[in-house]
């Protein structure tokens, strides 16, 4: 609606690790027309995957433009580390285990914005997490050095992409 051509990528986040997910995104990017300027909009784990793609496998024929990450566990996921156990690994898969132990993915080299969720004026809603959170990721965990913009909107982790303010901030940042 805002004049952007879009591709929506779905992946089985519970079946593979971050590297395998990044390889799938790289495959899609490799089929885009040479010279295309590409921006990425991600949710949660997708932010880590996008950062991996930007660092290790961006196709030379494409120009990376901007990145918007919605509710990303930018360096680690405290909830995943609190739940880190064999049953959790079986249910949530390799990516969750990687998040539980912290991820070492470079900061994006393109302009990026982060949009976090919060519903209770800084008090958080998940009793397993300290500080403010969206039910899954703490607001503090979304922060990443070098961020051009960081916003907090009144939304849950699983619905932040549908929040009108998050959408407006995304469109504005993409330009």
């Amino acid at each position: 609606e805002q004049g952007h051509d879009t591709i929506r990528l779905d992946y089985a986040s519970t079946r593979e690790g971050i590297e395998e997910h990044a390889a799938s995104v790289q495959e899609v990017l490799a089929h885009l027309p040479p010279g295309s300027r590409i921006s990425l909009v991600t949710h949660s784990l997708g932010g880590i995957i996008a950062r991996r793609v930007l660092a290790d496998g961006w196709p030379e024929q494409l120009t990376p433009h901007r990145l918007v990450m919605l509710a990303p566990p930018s360096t680690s996921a405290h909830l995943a580390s609190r739940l880190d156990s064999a049953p959790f690994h079986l249910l949530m898969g390799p990516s969750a285990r990687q998040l539980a132990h912290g991820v070492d993915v470079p900061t994006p080299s393109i302009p990026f914005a982060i949009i976090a969720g919060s519903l209770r004026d800084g008090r958080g809603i998940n009793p397993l997490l300290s500080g403010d959170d969206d039910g899954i990721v703490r607001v503090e965990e979304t922060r990443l050095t070098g961020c051009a913009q960081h916003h907090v909107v009144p939304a849950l982790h699983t619905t932040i992409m549908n929040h009108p303010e998050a959408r407006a901030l995304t469109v504005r940042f993409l330009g």
Side-chain angles (χ1 to χ4, degrees):
E1 293 174 7
Q2 301 296 320
H4 299 277
D5 293 325
T6 61
I7 298 172
R8 180 178 177 209
L9 301 178
D10 289 322
Y11 55 93
S13 63
T14 61
R15 293 196 189 122
E16 295 180 322
I18 292 167
E19 293 74 20
E20 291 84 6
H21 295 312
S24 296
V25 173
Q26 291 163 347
E27 171 132 0
V28 171
L29 291 172
H31 290 91
L32 296 179
S36 297
R37 185 176 81 165
I38 307 298
S39 291
L40 302 167
V41 178
T42 67
H43 175 252
S44 196
L45 175 64
I48 302 296
I49 294 166
R51 288 170 51 199
R52 174 58 60 209
V53 170
L54 285 163
D56 295 341
W58 191 264
E60 290 181 22
Q61 77 275 14
L62 303 176
T63 302
H65 179 59
R66 294 200 171 217
L67 169 63
V68 177
M69 295 182 283
L70 304 169
S74 292
T75 55
S76 66
H78 187 73
L79 184 59
S81 66
R82 296 270 324 253
L83 300 175
D84 192 25
S85 65
F88 177 72
H89 300 158
L90 286 172
L91 181 65
M92 300 306 292
S95 295
R97 183 176 189 155
Q98 288 174 284
L99 290 174
H101 296 274
V103 292
D104 185 20
V105 183
T107 300
S109 57
I110 60 174
F112 66 98
I114 295 172
I115 304 171
S118 169
L119 286 178
R120 293 185 50 202
D121 298 323
R123 294 174 294 159
I125 60 173
N126 188 329
L128 295 176
L129 299 174
S130 60
D132 199 5
D133 66 77
D134 63 8
I136 304 293
V137 176
R138 297 183 302 177
V139 171
E140 192 57 36
E141 291 172 328
T142 67
R143 298 189 188 285
L144 187 62
T145 301
C147 181
Q149 296 179 16
H150 187 275
H151 303 279
V152 179
V153 300
L156 290 170
H157 185 80
T158 54
T159 60
I160 191 168
M161 70 290 291
N162 299 323
H163 192 278
E165 186 178 355
R167 286 181 174 203
L169 289 165
T170 298
V171 169
R172 191 171 336 136
F173 186 76
L174 295 179

